Amino acid sequence: MNIKGNYVTLRAVEEEDLELLREMINDPEIEKMVGGYSFPVSKVQQKGWFESISDNKNDIRLIIETKEDGAIGFANIVNIDWKNRSAFHGIKIANKNFRRKGIGTDAVMAVMKYAFEELHLNRLDSSIIDYNEPSKKLYCKCGWKVEGIRREAIFKGNQYHDELVVGILKEEYEELIRKNNYWKR
Amino acid sequence: MNIKGNYVTLRAVEEEDLELLREMINDPEIEKMVGGYSFPVSKVQQKGWFESISDNKNDIRLIIETKEDGAIGFANIVNIDWKNRSAFHGIKIANKNFRRKGIGTDAVMAVMKYAFEELHLNRLDSSIIDYNEPSKKLYCKCGWKVEGIRREAIFKGNQYHDELVVGILKEEYEELIRKNNYWKR
Amino acid sequence: MNIKGNYVTLRAVEEEDLELLREMINDPEIEKMVGGYSFPVSKVQQKGWFESISDNKNDIRLIIETKEDGAIGFANIVNIDWKNRSAFHGIKIANKNFRRKGIGTDAVMAVMKYAFEELHLNRLDSSIIDYNEPSKKLYCKCGWKVEGIRREAIFKGNQYHDELVVGILKEEYEELIRKNNYWKR
Amino acid sequence: MNIKGNYVTLRAVEEEDLELLREMINDPEIEKMVGGYSFPVSKVQQKGWFESISDNKNDIRLIIETKEDGAIGFANIVNIDWKNRSAFHGIKIANKNFRRKGIGTDAVMAVMKYAFEELHLNRLDSSIIDYNEPSKKLYCKCGWKVEGIRREAIFKGNQYHDELVVGILKEEYEELIRKNNYWKR
Amino acid sequence: MNIKGNYVTLRAVEEEDLELLREMINDPEIEKMVGGYSFPVSKVQQKGWFESISDNKNDIRLIIETKEDGAIGFANIVNIDWKNRSAFHGIKIANKNFRRKGIGTDAVMAVMKYAFEELHLNRLDSSIIDYNEPSKKLYCKCGWKVEGIRREAIFKGNQYHDELVVGILKEEYEELIRKNNYWKR
Amino acid sequence: MNIKGNYVTLRAVEEEDLELLREMINDPEIEKMVGGYSFPVSKVQQKGWFESISDNKNDIRLIIETKEDGAIGFANIVNIDWKNRSAFHGIKIANKNFRRKGIGTDAVMAVMKYAFEELHLNRLDSSIIDYNEPSKKLYCKCGWKVEGIRREAIFKGNQYHDELVVGILKEEYEELIRKNNYWKR
């Protein structure tokens, strides 16, 4: 089923979304802020990725969509470890304007709601490159904890950067929504 | 052959029906009421499912259709166990308006007629999540019995729910139509 | 080569004929009268059947066609046993109106002409569900003999039905056309 | 599970049995008495047949075995039609001596017990070439009825022979064992 | 890792175990007591099954082994539903003598310990044919509850039998071992 | 090339080593101390793993070997991230006796020497389950730093455990061997 936040809907990736995903990957400003990495990506390569993801029970890739603006970003819940009940989560918003409007928060909240309340996970993992202040704020606001620092784990812009290990437990998510009443606003 | 109820026709799934099926799977309200479960489903994944079902002698997937409204839902007779002469049956109606007009009853009656009078089965199984009162009423009205309760069998909406084990025998179906004259109305 | 009757032509099945075949299979009235059986059939499944029949030396599938009305039915000569020189034959006419105009007779006569005079067979087999009076008349008129009754061989409409074993030998066909001059009318 | 008669056990075919099966097929005396037919069969072809039968839910091939003599024959239950609840059955005993000792009767009784009491079938079919008196006696003794005669259906020894259509219903089997107490001897 | 009970070890199935498994499946006495069903199984078919099970993350098949007697039975944890945290469990002991010595209890206890304490499941399902009194006693002793009765669900020995739906929750297992101190004996 | 420590040699995995690896995976005591997880593993599954690892440029699997005792353990350098110049490393020693004799230290030192001096990596990652004191000591002695704690990341023995995130940089390794002269002893 689709995943509903207060503002966004998270839905499966369609072929029509590939260009948006490709633009985000090929945009140096966006790639600077995330841990991942790729060579410049062609349409053919992006389509190949799309075909490779369709039959997978341990990785969910999602388009972030709003009513007004349609597809504006990407979120995932991957490497689901069903026995330990954990998974890795990441997010990317295509356009700077959207990044400041609570869209990111709503997407992360929706991911957590789905991961903890439907997938029945106990823990979500993520990682943040040390100079990405907006992401630190976003995840902090959403109740995540910094659990460690993998020193010099990422090489970007001609130097090594530390990578923050961040995580949240189901009980912390539940405490958060009890306090901020997020789903009852 | 197609399966005729008093109002509905049950027919094979066509490629044109995939969008309807996908909308039902992605609709959180509908998914809340059924036992199954899926990640958000893309068009490509829905098509992949369609291609995977075409060559199968133990599973029947059907579109529920009415003259006035065309395709409005989905029913199946799956896991046919030819030796024990039983199968599992489920149903989904896309639109709330249709759910109250006897469409569901007619679809279940038509499924039973086909399963018992043509497929020559002796028993149909289904399961109902404990809070799904409309389904309980529907199957009760169609002569099914609650045979058990699988405790905490389904996790949805952040808690475990019991699942009702329901079933009907051919002789019970025959008793029902003798009494209510369903096929002679 | 195409097979010519007095009125009909029997020709190979083309992709354009699939919808006619599918309608006949999905029509409960027609399926009631024949021994075979299928789940509701989708376009994709019908196409799959079509692709599966193309390379076959022991089974002939034919469309019955008239000048005025085009494709109106289906006939086959299958399970050809070259050593014993026998085969199984069946026929279906799509539309009730055609079933009473000598079209069926002409198609069966054409099938026999081809089977005995070209394929060099000695015997044709068929089977008829016991309540199918039109078929009994049709095959009787075409010189076939009832050779046996397979008791309770077919389950349809919630009960077992006997199945007539019918057959005709080449010499009987030759006797028939000598008497009724069928091909010289 | 293996199938137990009063004297014989019917079990799955093993690679070690192939030579026995090949000898029966290649033995003109045995082949004269059965309806089937094959070119002379090599070891490689017999092995190819063996490999082709292993993954099949509608055909059972069985070795007839006794404690004293090991593998002595072959029986099958094939073309299982689960919806109509019928199947075709055949039997072959390798050695003349065994054919007169009630082994054949016991094997047919065990096949019927399994087909009717475990597989839940309603009808078994078989066919007998018209001059095979021992088979006629065997199946008659086991309660089967001659239901028809397919004239000139088999060509063997330079002439056509009629083929008896024989069958038995579950209720007839049950009547038989009530009367002759076969399983309580 | 291997799973240790107080007496038994549960370990992966090896090629050397196939003959034991095949004997159990082909033994009518054992098959009478379990819900499953198979045609007589050959060595080649058993090997085919073995090859088909090797790469599977949702089904565990285990050999029950004791120090004194080696491999004596089979247990499984299959259809693992990671999201709902449930699975189906079954057990078979080859030899009657072993069935009365607490071996069955120890194997079920070890399965539960692994399923609840390592796989992190919340619920185990099983089913018992209604006349299998030893299994009812065994599972009752191990804390399982009868949750329902699927009427006429199994056809064996020429009649329908009811099938008990049984289950146990993690908390019930924990309560049991607290009371009977099973792992501290 | 093989990798030489002061006492151990690290070499490629051979088919002869599979039984050692399988014993370690199936040994509950060893599995309790490592983060990973597996169902009981059969010989065939172990062989399947072996065949799957042979053609891989980003994962190195190694057998730890001593002159006196031959193969005694397993080490790996996996998920090599060539751009960020990091990789994940793990180690297992089969026998308790070996675990206290500096064998572990020598293996980790050899892994680092190879990873930093030959593979040209900048960073190695590992993880340690919180109660594994011997591993903490081992890696500490080898210059690794605890960089974080992934809370409740591992479920074993019926509870969640924290997982230590540990790492070492090339410069730290170089500092270490300058001080302790490890390679000049």
Side-chain angles (χ1 to χ4, degrees), chain B residues 10 13 21 39-40 68 82-83 92 102 107 126 167 178:
Chain B
L10 307 180
V13 178
L21 296 174
F39 291 166
E68 304 80 25
W82 291 105
K83 181 230 169 200
K92 264 190 220 174
S126 195
R178 247 192 324 271

Side-chain angles (χ1 to χ4, degrees), chain C residues 84 125 147 150-151 172, chain D residues 125 147 150-151 155 172:
Chain C
N84 289 318
D125 280 275
E147 298 178 326
R150 292 178 62 234
R151 296 163 303 145
E172 293 168 343
Chain D
D125 281 276
E147 298 179 325
R150 292 179 60 236
R151 295 163 304 144
F155 188 88
E172 293 168 342

Side-chain angles (χ1 to χ4, degrees), chain B residues 84 125 147 150-151 172, chain E residues 125 147 150-151 155 172:
Chain B
N84 289 318
D125 280 277
E147 298 179 325
R150 294 178 61 236
R151 295 163 303 146
E172 293 168 342
Chain E
D125 280 277
E147 298 180 324
R150 293 179 60 236
R151 296 164 302 145
F155 187 89
E172 293 168 342

Side-chain angles (χ1 to χ4, degrees), chain C residues 85-152:
Chain C
R85 292 171 60 205
S86 66
F88 187 91
H89 158 64
I91 190 171
K92 263 191 220 174
I93 309 283
N95 188 301
K96 272 189 187 176
N97 300 325
F98 296 120
R99 285 175 220 156
R100 306 217 177 86
K101 284 182 182 163
I103 292 296
T105 306
D106 197 48
V108 175
M109 291 304 295
V111 160
M112 291 195 292
K113 183 182 171 67
Y114 184 71
F116 293 132
E117 301 188 7
E118 302 300 332
L119 296 184
H120 202 184
L121 300 181
N122 177 61
R123 177 185 162 84
L124 283 173
D125 280 275
S126 195
S127 63
I128 302 173
I129 197 163
D130 65 354
Y131 53 70
N132 186 341
E133 298 300 333
S135 272
K136 284 191 221 170
K137 269 182 211 156
L138 168 58
Y139 281 91
C140 176
K141 197 172 158 188
C142 292
W144 293 55
K145 300 283 181 293
V146 175
E147 298 178 326
I149 295 180
R150 292 178 62 234
R151 296 163 303 145
E152 302 191 11

Side-chain angles (χ1 to χ4, degrees), chain B residues 37 83-85 122-123 125 145 147-156 160 165 167 169 172, chain E residues 37 83-85 122-123 125 145 147-156 160 165 167 169 172:
Chain B
Y37 158 75
K83 181 230 169 200
N84 289 318
R85 293 171 64 205
N122 177 61
R123 180 186 160 84
D125 280 277
K145 300 281 182 294
E147 298 179 325
I149 295 181
R150 294 178 61 236
R151 295 163 303 146
E152 302 191 11
I154 297 173
F155 187 89
K156 269 186 197 248
Y160 284 110
V165 175
L169 302 177
E172 293 168 342
Chain E
Y37 158 77
K83 181 228 168 201
N84 289 318
R85 294 171 61 203
N122 178 61
R123 181 188 157 86
D125 280 277
K145 301 280 180 295
E147 298 180 324
I149 295 181
R150 293 179 60 236
R151 296 164 302 145
E152 302 192 12
I154 297 174
F155 187 89
K156 271 188 196 246
Y160 284 109
V165 175
L169 302 178
E172 293 168 342

